[in-house]
Each structure stands twice: as C-alpha cells, then as structure tokens.
Amino acid sequence: MWRFAPVAALICVIGLLPRLTDTDPALTVLKARSAERDPDPEVLAAIRAELGLDGSWWSPLGQWLGGLPRGDAGTSWVSGAPVLPSVLSALGASLLLMAGALLVAAVTAAAVCSRTLVLGARRRLAHRPRAGGLSAALAALPEFLTASVLAGVVGVQLGWLPALGWYGPRWLVLPALALGLPAGALLGRLLDDALPGAFTEPWARAATARGVPGRRIARHALRRCLPGLLPNLGLFVVGLTGGAVAVEQIFDIPGLGRLTLRAAIAQDLPVLQTGILALALLAAAVGVLTRAAARPLLGPALRDGALTT
C-alpha cells in the first residue's frame, strides 16, 4: 500500500494547485470559455463561487474525492460536461495506441536480437559480431522527434499514411511506429545482451551435449531471458504514457495524454485529477501484470529453485 502514497500525495497537490499558484483559475477558465469576454470582477467572483474556490482550501479536492466512490468524477470547469465519460473515452484511445506501440516494439526487438538467436542455435556465438549502431541510434530518438519526422515525411510529403486524426486502423500506424520503434530498439538491445549468457548456462550446455536441436535451445534461451526484461517492459509501458502526450498532440489523437495536457493548460482541475488518477492506476496494473507474468515463463524451474527471476 505504501506505493500508493506518492500517488495520493500527487493528487492532493494537484487538488491544491488553485491555491498554490499565482494564476487565478477563474481567469483561466473564463478565457477558456469565452476569450472575448472582459474579466469583470463580478464575473470572476461568480466563477469562483461556481467552482467552489471561494471556500476552504480543501473544498474542491474533498468534493472530487467524495464523488469517486459513486462513479462521479465531477464536471469539467471549462465545458461543464461530466468528467468520467471523457476520461474513459480518452483512456480507450490511449490503450489502443499503446497496444499498437507494443506490437511495433515486439517486432523491432525481435529484429534486433534475431541474429544472436540464429548464431546461438547454430552454436556459433563465439563469432558473434558486435551489435550495430542503428538500434542504438533508434533507441536514443525521442518520441516527439520520431513522430514529427514520420508525420512530416511519410504523412505529408509522401502521403502514404494519414498524419492527423483518429478515424480507423490506418490512422494508428504512424503514432504506433513513433512510440514503438525507440522502445523496441532498446528492449531488443537488452535482450541481445542477455541471450549469450543464457546459451552458456548449464542447462543449455547439457541440452547441447544430449543433441537437442539448436532451434529448441534458442527458444528456451529466449524464454529464460524474458522474465529479466519484464520489469523493464513494465517501465517502458508506463513511459509510453509520457511519450504519448507529445505523440497524441502531433497526430491529433483524442487520447488521455492530450486530454490531461489540455486540462493542465486550462486549469480544468477535475479533468486533470481524473486523468492523472487513470494514468496512476494504469501504471499500477502494468506493474502487477509484469510481476505475475514471470512465473508462467519460468515454469517449474522457478518453483523448484533451479532458476531465479
């Protein structure tokens, strides 16, 4: 439970932002609702009363927390619409984007470590060349730069795929590539460095001595290395939510990252709090799933103490 303490503290700090910043939230909300309207003191006072900012410091946060058990995350300060449906819709778009990015990352990682797998299956790892710099350069690329290049070159100049919007599977390709290529290259490098050690473990040498086919040994070596990468995979999945903010902005995707960013700019506190809570719950779920996936991958060897995670 102690892991949820930082999340709770973060949500509380966000709830107190109207009191901690020098910017008047009423003025920001007024500009978001009607940019041409003059900031009359009476109008600002009415907005503060509407938002509950004329009471105690804890009033907005208490109202928001009190509604969550009932499935009520409040209403948007800017649009006046219920917050929860918009957050759930944005979360669905972000999850679909993350699924596509994970697929791209898996294909990229497989391409990076395929040479090591082939050499290990042929028992020729002693002649294994050093990993190329292409994967390292690709892993170092920030998501916003990859997204900008893909949108500008592939989407606009070449016109092969749509660069803006969210209307079908074709609109998923470029954003998934922007998020998945750097993560897949880095995961592939980590897996490529771990595989030679797996091929030299006692079980692999014993299998080789018994004449087990090299492809079967390579498959088990890959399975042996995956549990060690699961914590990194969990971090990458959580990191995708951060990179998705820029990617969703560039490709105009109605995801959770873009929704939360716009809520922060407009000081739309209920939307911002609910979006961050959804991201925190997503990160917690990913952490639980990655830890739970290690045991099925290692199987009886972990139970009997022959291998460790």
Side-chain angles (χ1 to χ4, degrees):
M1 294 299 295
W2 64 269
R3 297 185 180 182
F4 292 95
V7 177
L10 178 60
I11 292 175
C12 290
V13 169
I14 295 172
L16 296 177
L17 281 179
R19 308 292 185 176
L20 299 177
T21 60
D22 295 332
T23 305
D24 187 358
L27 180 59
T28 306
V29 171
L30 177 62
K31 291 182 179 179
R33 292 179 178 179
S34 178
E36 299 178 355
R37 191 169 183 179
D38 295 331
D40 186 85
E42 295 182 357
V43 174
L44 295 178
I47 293 178
R48 292 190 196 98
E50 176 189 348
L51 303 181
L53 297 177
D54 55 350
S56 65
W57 278 41
W58 299 95
S59 295
L61 180 61
Q63 293 175 2
W64 179 75
L65 291 176
L68 287 181
R70 305 190 304 270
D72 180 13
T75 58
S76 170
W77 285 1
V78 175
S79 65
V83 170
L84 195 57
S86 61
V87 170
L88 291 178
S89 176
L91 179 61
S94 294
L95 289 176
L96 182 59
L97 175 59
M98 290 172 61
L102 287 176
L103 178 60
V104 172
V107 173
T108 305
V112 171
C113 67
S114 60
R115 178 177 56 182
T116 300
L117 281 172
V118 171
L119 293 177
R122 297 177 180 176
R123 303 173 180 86
R124 295 175 55 186
L125 280 177
H127 307 287
R128 170 176 172 260
R130 299 186 63 181
L134 179 60
S135 59
L138 190 60
L141 287 176
E143 289 85 354
F144 74 88
L145 180 59
T146 309
S148 300
V149 172
L150 289 175
V153 177
V154 180
V156 177
Q157 294 186 3
L158 299 178
W160 292 347
L161 290 167
L164 293 175
W166 189 252
Y167 305 106
R170 295 180 66 243
W171 281 263
L172 175 63
V173 177
L174 291 183
L177 287 174
L179 283 175
L181 285 177
L186 185 53
L187 285 173
R189 288 296 298 268
L190 294 175
L191 187 59
D192 190 68
D193 291 339
L195 280 171
F199 278 108
T200 58
E201 289 182 348
W203 67 266
R205 295 198 299 268
T208 302
R210 293 180 57 187
V212 176
R215 287 180 297 179
R216 187 176 177 184
I217 297 176
R219 184 170 65 251
H220 285 285
L222 179 62
R223 182 178 177 180
R224 172 70 182 100
C225 294
L226 285 179
L229 290 181
L230 285 178
N232 292 318
L233 179 60
L235 291 176
F236 285 130
V237 173
V238 175
L240 287 179
T241 60
V245 176
V247 172
E248 289 173 1
Q249 279 289 105
I250 292 173
F251 290 101
D252 195 26
I253 298 173
L256 190 58
R258 190 184 71 163
L259 179 69
T260 306
L261 177 61
R262 292 186 174 182
I265 295 174
Q267 290 193 347
D268 195 348
L269 194 59
V271 177
L272 180 60
Q273 286 176 313
T274 308
I276 290 180
L277 179 61
L279 292 175
L281 293 177
L282 177 62
V286 169
V288 171
L289 289 176
T290 53
R291 289 180 64 87
R295 293 183 178 275
L297 284 173
L298 290 179
L302 181 63
R303 182 195 60 207
D304 298 338
L307 291 175
T308 61
T309 55

